[in-house]
Amino acid sequence: MSRSELLEQIYTIVSRIPEGRVTTYGRVAKMTDGATARMVGRAMGQLPDGHGLPWHRVVNASLKVTEHGGAVRQREQLRAEGVAFDARGRINAELLWP
DNA sequence: ATGCCGGCTCAGC
DNA sequence: GGCTGAGCCGGCA
């Protein structure tokens, strides 16, 4: 598997995450043929604006939004589509997408 | 080629 | 559930 093919799989999978649901870097990675969680995180960080991918629906294994530059915007977008966060910033596990 | 660091994860405490 | 350390991975300087 070449990196570009892996990248393509990652994008395809992410684009399939339903609105109001979330998944994790590791889960996305496992759905590909060999990508790692870090590669997924990196792929998300590289996305240009207006690509149309729901990158904000991808969170870390603790079901929290990883702190980085766009973390605030990510939380806002999720909240905007109905994803609730508890007092500690964690997302309800029932919203996890397979 | 080399070395450092990461939008992470998982096993151990 | 939180903290720590390793992973043997890729991108990038």
Side-chain angles (χ1 to χ4, degrees):
Chain A
M1 270 299 171
S2 70
R3 336 293 173 263
S4 51
E5 290 177 293
L6 249 26
L7 220 42
E8 211 173 302
Q9 296 187 329
I10 292 174
Y11 294 146
T12 304
I13 292 165
V14 171
S15 71
R16 283 185 177 141
I17 305 173
E19 190 178 302
R21 304 292 298 285
V22 297
T23 192
T24 70
Y25 297 101
R27 299 238 325 221
V28 173
K30 283 186 211 164
M31 292 181 212
T32 67
D33 293 311
T36 65
R38 291 201 137 137
M39 286 185 220
V40 177
R42 182 164 230 296
M44 296 300 103
Q46 269 200 162
L47 291 170
D49 295 340
H51 41 58
L53 270 93
W55 59 278
H56 55 278
R57 297 183 192 147
V58 186
V59 300
N60 62 37
S62 309
L63 294 185
K64 288 189 299 190
V65 172
T66 302
E67 274 309 325
H68 68 283
V72 180
R73 202 177 53 182
Q74 179 172 9
R75 276 190 286 269
E76 287 178 355
Q77 290 200 97
L78 284 173
R79 224 172 328 120
E81 55 183 61
V83 175
F85 291 86
D86 66 12
R88 302 199 177 35
R90 201 130 42 71
I91 295 169
N92 188 307
E94 293 193 12
L95 294 178
L96 249 184
W97 180 69

